């Protein structure tokens, strides 16, 4: 009975692998806490979800940076057929309706590159167009532009490409930290599920031994009652204790099955696979440094990067509100060669130069204070983000500080629980022996048993 009741405390739970293994099914796979964490982080459903989330973030990051690489594309119309009656103005001013039958085909090869530092777009194009006019004339012509170099650039406007890149770097770093945190969450959940299952199984062993002891005491009390050494009330109390012990044992077995099934789900194991839990022993003891805990929390938590992202986004909104409220222009410059001829080969001979320049301007004149309001709202959001960042850093530092203190308190509490467990087990041993020899009453025995 003493062995059955000695391991109720948390330290006793961690130091009783022999008792746990003795009660497991034969042929069960031994499962240590370290192996359970490894399995959960490798094949557990929560870990696989975290991996999928991380991979999605990595592919998104790769897709984002691909837009800053040269892109080659081919577009065109092969063919574009047109057959209808058109109105044609004659030299004398009269309008004549003539039938039109036309087939046009065109292909354009384009290589473009986004410029991250300026936000502009540099592109190279090569195009070829063929036009066929059917009818009495039956004319065919070719128009080629072997090479055209162009640049499109906004002036006095925010560089969206640079801001997007800055935000994406923070999103990517946040996703990587969230993945590491998810793995730690998996390990923490596995530890909880592991000890829940182990404690439930140990509770079954303890209650089984308790039911056996109560059965022995009930039989002993039946003999004492028959010879008149105890009253009927003591006998009934003993019988009630036996019935409660059996009921508690049935409930504990169901709870043990439930916790073991939850642990298998956490580890990604089959429900029918037998396992034998091996608790860690002895309980490790290590010093607690609150300053180191705060430093690690502030440098590794994804929430810090999340707040930095909000700060960058707020600064971007302020910048965009200010620039979009003033003068802006879009400059497009192109230079290259082209030619037209009746034959395909002639369309690439004696090339002629081509140049184009366009400047589009935009200047808001009257907005009824909308521009100023947008700037003021963006600045208010920037101030809010800065205060929220400071508040989040203070919260994280405080949580890490007190978590370290709670860890130190838990170590002291575990040592105290081990001592209390030993004392309680000895007390029950003494009370049981004194009850057997008739030195104490049954009420005192049940108090010691509790």
């Amino acid at each position: 009975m003493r062995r059955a009741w000695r391991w109720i405390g948390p330290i006793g739970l961690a130091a009783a692998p022999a008792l746990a293994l003795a009660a497991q099914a034969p042929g069960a796979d031994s499962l240590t806490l370290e192996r359970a964490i490894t399995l959960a982080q490798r094949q557990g459903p929560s870990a696989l979800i975290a991996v999928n989330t991380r991979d999605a973030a990595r592919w998104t990051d790769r897709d984002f940076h691909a837009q800053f690489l040269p892109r080659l594309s081919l577009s065109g119309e092969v063919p574009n057929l047109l057959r209808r009656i058109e109105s044609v103005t004659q030299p004398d001013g009269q309008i004549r309706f003539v039938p039109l039958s036309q087939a046009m085909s065109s292909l354009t090869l384009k290589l473009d590159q986004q410029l991250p530092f300026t936000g502009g777009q540099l592109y190279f194009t090569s195009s070829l167009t063929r036009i066929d006019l059917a009818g009495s004339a039956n004319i065919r012509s070719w128009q080629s532009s072997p090479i055209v170099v162009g640049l499109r650039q906004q002036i006095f406007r925010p560089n969206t490409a640079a801001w997007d890149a800055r935000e994406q770097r923070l999103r990517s770093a946040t996703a990587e930290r969230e993945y590491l945190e998810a793995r730690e969450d998996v390990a923490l959940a596995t530890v909880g599920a592991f000890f829940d299952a182990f404690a439930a199984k140990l509770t079954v062993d303890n209650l089984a031994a308790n039911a056996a002891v109560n059965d022995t005491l009930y039989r002993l009390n039946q003999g004492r009652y028959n010879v008149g050494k105890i009253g009927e009330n003591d006998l009934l109390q003993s019988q009630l204790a036996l019935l409660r012990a059996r009921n508690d044992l049935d409930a504990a077995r169901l709870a043990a099955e439930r916790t073991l099934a939850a642990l298998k789900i956490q580890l990604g194991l089959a429900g029918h696979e037998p396992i034998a839990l091996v608790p860690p022993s002895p309980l490790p003891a290590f010093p607690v440094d609150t300053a180191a805990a705060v430093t690690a929390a502030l440098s590794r938590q994804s929430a810090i990067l999340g707040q930095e992202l909000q700060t960058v986004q707020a600064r971007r909104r302020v910048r965009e509100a200010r620039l979009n409220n003033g003068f802006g222009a879009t400059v497009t410059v192109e230079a290259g060669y082209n030619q037209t001829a009746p034959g395909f080969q002639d369309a690439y001979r004696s090339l002629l130069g081509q140049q184009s320049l366009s400047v589009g301007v935009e200047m808001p004149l009257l907005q009824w204070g909308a521009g100023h309001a947008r700037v003021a709202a963006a600045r208010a959001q920037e101030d809010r983000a800065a205060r929220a960042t400071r508040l989040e850093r203070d919260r994280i530092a405080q949580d890490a500080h007190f978590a370290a203190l709670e860890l130190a308190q838990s170590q002291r509490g575990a040592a105290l629980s081990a001592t209390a467990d030993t004392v309680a087990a000895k007390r029950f041993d003494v009370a049981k022996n004194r009850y057997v020899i008739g030195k104490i009453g049954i009420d005192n025995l049940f108090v010691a048993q509790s």
Side-chain angles (χ1 to χ4, degrees):
M1 180 61 189
R2 180 174 181 177
R3 290 187 60 192
W5 283 91
R6 178 171 177 77
W7 310 111
I8 294 180
I11 300 301
L13 289 177
L19 177 61
L21 291 176
Q24 297 288 347
D29 185 19
S30 297
L31 183 68
T32 63
L33 179 60
E34 291 78 8
R35 182 165 176 262
I37 294 175
T38 301
L39 288 175
Q41 292 182 334
R42 183 180 63 196
Q43 66 185 34
S46 298
L48 296 180
I49 292 174
V51 170
N52 293 335
T53 304
R54 179 206 62 187
D55 292 344
R58 288 181 176 179
W59 283 112
T60 300
D61 183 68
R62 182 176 297 183
D63 173 66
F64 175 82
H65 287 92
Q67 67 179 320
F68 296 104
L69 300 176
R71 292 175 294 183
L72 184 63
S73 61
L74 179 65
S75 62
E77 296 180 340
V78 186
N80 181 2
L81 301 176
L82 177 62
R83 184 181 179 87
R84 66 186 179 187
I85 297 177
E86 289 277 347
S87 60
V88 180
T89 303
Q90 303 300 309
D92 58 0
Q94 295 182 359
I95 297 178
R96 181 182 176 186
F97 294 95
V98 297
L100 176 65
S101 180
Q102 173 183 300
M104 184 177 67
S105 301
S106 65
L107 285 176
T108 300
L109 185 66
K110 183 177 182 180
L111 178 67
D112 64 308
Q113 166 74 59
Q114 188 174 14
L115 306 177
F117 299 105
T118 64
Q121 185 181 30
L122 178 67
Y123 56 90
F124 303 83
T125 63
S126 178
S127 62
L128 177 65
T129 302
R130 167 182 159 177
I131 300 177
D132 293 308
L133 294 176
S136 58
N138 196 17
I139 300 175
R140 171 177 295 176
S141 63
W142 297 82
Q143 193 271 331
S144 70
S145 296
I147 179 67
V148 175
V149 181
L151 175 64
R152 185 178 295 107
Q153 177 66 55
Q154 286 189 330
I155 303 176
F156 305 116
R157 285 291 183 261
N159 186 353
T160 58
W163 283 108
D164 290 341
R166 190 179 305 176
E167 291 182 10
Q168 181 58 34
R169 284 194 296 269
L170 289 173
R171 289 192 183 96
S172 178
T174 301
E176 293 297 328
R177 288 192 183 181
E178 287 177 345
Y179 168 68
L180 297 178
E181 291 173 357
R183 285 178 58 86
E184 295 303 317
D185 290 340
V186 169
L188 183 61
T190 302
V191 171
F194 182 92
F195 280 105
D196 285 345
F198 179 74
K201 184 64 181 67
L202 202 57
T203 299
V204 171
D205 298 335
N206 290 335
L207 291 179
N210 185 48
V213 169
N214 283 318
D215 182 74
T216 301
L217 293 176
Y218 177 64
R219 296 178 184 276
L220 176 63
N221 288 333
Q222 280 183 320
R224 289 180 174 180
Y225 175 75
N226 291 332
V227 297
K229 289 187 176 181
I230 62 173
E232 185 179 5
N233 181 60
D234 290 345
L235 178 63
L236 293 177
Q237 286 192 59
S238 180
Q239 183 182 11
L240 182 59
L242 174 60
L243 295 177
R244 287 176 175 172
R246 290 174 177 175
N247 182 71
D248 292 343
L249 177 60
D250 293 338
R253 286 171 176 167
L254 180 60
E257 293 178 2
R258 182 189 297 274
T259 55
L260 189 61
L263 175 61
K264 290 181 179 180
I265 292 177
Q266 181 70 21
L267 303 183
L269 299 176
H272 60 274
E273 186 174 349
I275 55 177
L277 305 182
V278 181
S281 180
L283 187 69
F286 48 88
V288 176
D289 188 346
T290 56
V294 172
T295 301
L298 292 177
S299 62
R300 299 177 184 176
Q301 281 205 16
S302 62
I304 297 296
L305 291 180
Q307 290 298 323
E308 291 182 12
L309 176 60
Q310 293 185 18
T311 300
V312 170
Q313 291 173 337
R315 292 174 181 171
R316 175 179 182 172
R317 286 191 290 267
V318 172
R319 181 70 174 174
E320 290 177 345
R322 292 178 58 187
L323 292 179
N324 291 332
N325 197 36
F327 174 81
T330 302
V331 179
T332 303
V333 181
E334 289 186 353
Y337 298 93
N338 62 1
Q339 184 57 279
T340 181
F344 171 75
Q345 294 181 351
D346 294 336
Y348 285 91
R349 294 175 181 173
S350 302
L351 297 175
L352 303 177
Q354 71 171 63
Q355 301 86 27
S356 68
L357 171 65
S358 67
V359 179
V361 297
E362 181 183 6
M363 177 65 184
L365 297 178
L366 183 61
Q367 302 184 81
W368 305 104
H372 175 73
R374 282 192 294 268
V375 174
R379 286 176 176 171
Q381 289 292 334
E382 183 181 21
D383 293 339
R384 185 203 63 81
R387 289 185 172 88
T389 298
R390 289 194 296 268
L391 178 62
E392 183 68 14
R393 290 181 63 88
D394 292 342
R395 183 194 64 80
I396 291 175
Q398 178 178 296
D399 289 346
H401 175 79
F402 284 102
L405 295 179
E406 289 175 359
L407 181 59
Q409 176 62 32
S410 297
Q411 294 187 69
R412 295 190 295 268
L416 179 61
S417 296
T419 303
D421 180 64
T422 302
V423 172
K426 290 182 178 179
R427 179 191 177 192
F428 176 74
D429 235 5
V430 172
K432 184 192 67 174
N433 293 332
R434 288 175 60 82
Y435 177 77
V436 170
I437 62 176
K439 296 295 185 179
I440 62 173
I442 194 170
D443 291 337
N444 292 328
L445 174 63
F446 289 154
V447 170
Q449 190 178 43
S450 299

